[in-house]
């Protein structure tokens, strides 16, 4: 009992000492005001990163490449090490993988029962990208801007270009389903939903950006950097990841199923001769 | 462009997403999906085999039940035939016994009749013989009363 109390007192003392140290030492000085930081979080026109020395790009693109590389690396390792050892009675890892694949496959089958192979594979990739990409910002990976300042790599979809790319690609996937199933009629069916790419893109962008702005705001002031980030940074990000993954994949599979449904030929009216 | 929209970066994102989609499909989605399909087919096959075996068992059961029903019917028929046979045999034996009894009775009656006739004939013959003797005696002896007395005396002497 005495040891417990001693440990508790020691732990509180260490926390207080670190807090005092952080407040006394202060930061190295701000390179930008909060307005500039918030504006740059939206527009990414200041803190850009060089892409292999060819072009200055938004940090979101670098994040997207890193997320893709991480996902493909994990997939390769799983393919080489885990998949050959799959058994009819699954282990924990196999159960998780089957659950994830089965989730997207089931979503594709239920939303688009007549044509689900391709859309299942697409929403699996898109869902993985959104989920892992959103959680990616929790890692706080650092990168150096073209101006030499360090920045934390954001979630890929907090970049408007990534959100537009994913929204329009999803729309093209839906369009391809319509063309594959109904030809020209499928194009017409898909074009009826012309607002879909815009709504998808900006839904993703807005959701991810709002999280990013709140996080930026919280981290900008050192006094807010205690306890609060656990709720703002972790819980909100997790919620964002789950919700946005579900929303985009569900919408894509639903619209895909709708436009790829074969339309029945209209029955010709038979005129009966009237005597 | 407003909002710093850059078509080049959008195309780079598309390329990135295309690589990711293809890579994840071939590395993860397809193999896992194939394994799940394979397992589903395996269990479906087991299910089909179990259903086939169950159907076979039901068929065998039905066959045996039919055989059992046939055997029961056969047993019933055999029992009925046996009962009929036993009853017929008993009736025959009874008829035979009755016949024998009738024959015995008839035979006994005939024999009794015959005996009676024989006794009657013998009695008649004896009577005729006695009558003849008596007649003869009457014809050849004078007084029957004396004869009677003589005879009685003879008997008294004999008794003494």
């Amino acid at each position: 009992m005495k040891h417990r109390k001693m440990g508790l007192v020691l732990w509180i003392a260490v926390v207080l000492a670190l807090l005092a140290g952080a407040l006394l030492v202060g930061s190295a000085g701000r390179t930008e005001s909060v307005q500039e930081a918030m504006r740059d979080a939206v527009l990414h026109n200041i803190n850009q990163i060089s892409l292999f020395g060819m072009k200055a790009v938004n940090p979101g693109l670098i994040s997207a490449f890193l997320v893709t590389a991480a996902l493909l690396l994990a997939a390769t390792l799983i393919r080489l090490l885990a998949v050959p050892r799959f058994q009819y009675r699954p282990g924990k890892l196999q159960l998780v993988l089957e659950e994830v694949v089965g989730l997207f496959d089931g979503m594709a089958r239920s939303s688009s029962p007549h044509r689900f192979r391709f859309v299942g594979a697409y929403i699996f990739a898109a869902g993985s990208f959104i989920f892992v990409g959103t959680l990616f910002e929790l890692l706080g990976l650092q990168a150096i801007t073209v101006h030499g300042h360090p920045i934390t790599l954001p979630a890929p979809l907090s970049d408007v270009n990534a959100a537009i790319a994913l929204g329009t690609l999803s729309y093209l996937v839906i369009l391809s389903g319509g063309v594959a199933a109904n030809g020209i009629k499928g194009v017409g069916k898909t074009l009826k939903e012309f607002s879909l790419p815009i709504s998808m893109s900006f839904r993703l962008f807005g959701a991810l950006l709002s999280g990013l702005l709140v996080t930026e705001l919280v981290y900008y002031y050192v006094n807010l950097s205690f306890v609060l980030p656990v709720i703002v940074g972790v819980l909100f990000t997790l919620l964002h990841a789950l919700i946005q993954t579900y929303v985009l994949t569900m919408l894509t599979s639903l619209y895909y199923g709708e436009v790829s449904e074969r339309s029945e030929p209209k029955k010709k009216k038979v005129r009966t001769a009237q005597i | 462009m407003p909002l710093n929209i850059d078509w080049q970066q959008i195309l780079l994102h598309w390329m990135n997403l295309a690589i990711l989609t293809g890579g994840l499909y071939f590395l993860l989605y397809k193999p896992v999906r194939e394994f799940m399909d394979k397992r589903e087919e395996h269990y479906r096959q087991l299910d089909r085999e179990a259903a086939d075996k169950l159907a076979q068992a039901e068929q065998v059961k039905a066959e045996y039940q039919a055989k059992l029903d046939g055997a029961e019917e056969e047993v019933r028929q055999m029992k009925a035939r046996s009962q009929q046979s036993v009853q017929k045999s008993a009736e025959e034996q009874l008829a035979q016994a009755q016949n024998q009894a009738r024959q015995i009775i008839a035979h006994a009656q005939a024999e009794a009749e015959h005996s009676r006739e024989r006794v009657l004939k013998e009695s008649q013959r004896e009577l005729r013989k006695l009558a003849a003797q008596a007649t003869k005696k009457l014809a050849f002896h004078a007084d029957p009363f004396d004869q009677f007395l003589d005879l009685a005396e003879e008997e008294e002497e004999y008794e003494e």
Side-chain angles (χ1 to χ4, degrees), chain A residues 43-44 55 58 61 64 68 76 78-79 86-88 94 98 105 120-121 125 129 160-162 165 168 172, chain B residues 3-6 8-10 12-14 16-17 20-21 23 25 27-29 31-33 35 38-39 42:
Chain A
L43 299 177
H44 300 290
K55 177 181 166 63
N58 296 350
L61 184 62
T68 298
T76 309
I78 289 168
R79 178 71 186 87
F86 273 10
Q87 290 177 341
Y88 285 151
Q94 184 182 343
E98 284 184 8
D105 188 61
F129 181 74
V160 71
N161 295 319
T168 48
L172 285 179
Chain B
L3 282 174
N4 194 22
I5 294 171
D6 184 348
Q8 193 179 23
Q9 288 189 48
I10 290 173
L12 284 170
H13 276 292
W14 271 13
N16 179 47
L17 287 168
L20 181 68
T21 305
Y25 175 70
L27 288 171
L28 208 56
Y29 186 80
V32 174
R33 185 64 261 167
F35 180 82
K38 187 178 147 193
R39 183 176 53 196
H42 171 73

Side-chain angles (χ1 to χ4, degrees), chain A residues 230-252:
Chain A
V230 176
I231 300 164
V232 175
V234 180
L235 292 184
F236 283 7
T237 309
L238 272 172
L239 272 176
H240 267 309
L242 284 172
I243 292 167
Q244 294 311 316
T245 303
Y246 179 74
V247 168
L248 186 119
T249 53
M250 177 56 82
L251 282 177
T252 306

Side-chain angles (χ1 to χ4, degrees), chain B:
Chain B
M1 288 288 280
L3 282 174
N4 194 22
I5 294 171
D6 184 348
W7 294 110
Q8 193 179 23
Q9 288 189 48
I10 290 173
L11 284 173
L12 284 170
H13 276 292
W14 271 13
M15 182 198 74
N16 179 47
L17 287 168
I19 291 169
L20 181 68
T21 305
L24 281 185
Y25 175 70
F26 286 111
L27 288 171
L28 208 56
Y29 186 80
K30 193 179 170 195
V32 174
R33 185 64 261 167
E34 279 177 354
F35 180 82
M36 287 163 74
D37 289 342
K38 187 178 147 193
R39 183 176 53 196
E40 197 177 326
E41 182 56 35
H42 171 73
Y43 283 116
R44 197 171 282 145
Q45 179 69 25
L46 284 183
D47 196 36
R48 274 200 296 267
E49 284 175 7
D52 287 348
K53 281 181 182 169
L54 191 66
Q56 281 178 357
E58 288 289 339
Q59 194 179 352
V60 170
K61 187 183 168 189
E63 283 173 10
Y64 277 108
Q65 188 63 44
K67 279 184 185 174
L68 200 62
D69 292 346
E72 279 177 3
E73 179 62 24
E74 200 173 341
V75 166
R76 197 184 60 75
Q77 284 178 355
M78 283 175 71
K79 197 187 273 185
R81 276 202 299 270
S82 168
Q83 279 178 347
Q84 280 178 353
S85 171
V86 166
Q87 195 172 358
K88 191 178 174 186
S89 171
E91 282 173 359
E92 279 175 2
Q93 282 182 355
L94 188 63
Q96 199 176 358
Q98 283 175 346
N99 199 18
Q100 277 181 351
R102 271 196 301 273
Q103 280 178 356
I104 290 167
I105 291 167
H107 183 69
Q109 281 178 343
E111 205 166 304
E113 187 66 24
H114 182 68
S115 298
R116 192 179 69 84
E117 282 178 0
R118 192 162 46 85
V119 168
L120 196 62
K121 279 180 184 172
E122 280 180 4
S123 306
Q124 284 175 348
R125 196 165 51 240
E126 193 72 24
L127 278 173
R128 272 196 303 270
K129 193 178 170 184
L130 285 172
Q133 281 178 349
T135 309
K136 200 174 178 182
K137 279 180 180 176
L138 282 173
F140 293 107
H141 292 87
D143 192 3
F145 185 72
D146 291 338
Q147 284 180 350
F148 178 74
L149 290 174
D150 290 342
L151 282 171
E153 283 174 0
E154 282 175 7
E155 279 183 9
E156 279 176 3
E157 284 174 1
Y158 178 72
E159 284 175 358
E160 286 174 357

Side-chain angles (χ1 to χ4, degrees), chain A residues 16-53:
Chain A
L16 289 175
L18 288 172
L19 176 63
L23 291 174
L24 288 172
V25 170
S27 61
R30 304 188 193 287
T31 55
E32 57 190 357
S33 65
V34 66
Q35 288 83 1
E36 285 172 338
M38 301 291 269
R39 181 184 164 83
D40 191 56
V42 179
L43 299 177
H44 300 290
N45 56 357
I46 299 169
N47 291 324
Q48 292 198 319
I49 297 173
S50 173
L51 181 69
F52 306 119

Side-chain angles (χ1 to χ4, degrees), chain A residues 147-198:
Chain A
H147 303 298
H149 302 140
I151 58 160
T152 304
L153 286 176
L157 292 167
S158 64
D159 178 3
V160 71
N161 295 319
I164 289 173
L166 192 56
T168 48
L169 190 62
S170 300
Y171 186 70
L172 285 179
V173 166
I174 294 165
L175 182 68
S176 73
V179 172
N182 295 315
I184 298 296
K185 278 185 184 174
V187 178
K189 271 183 163 183
T190 315
L191 288 178
K192 273 197 300 188
E193 308 290 344
F194 64 89
S195 63
L196 200 59
I198 301 166

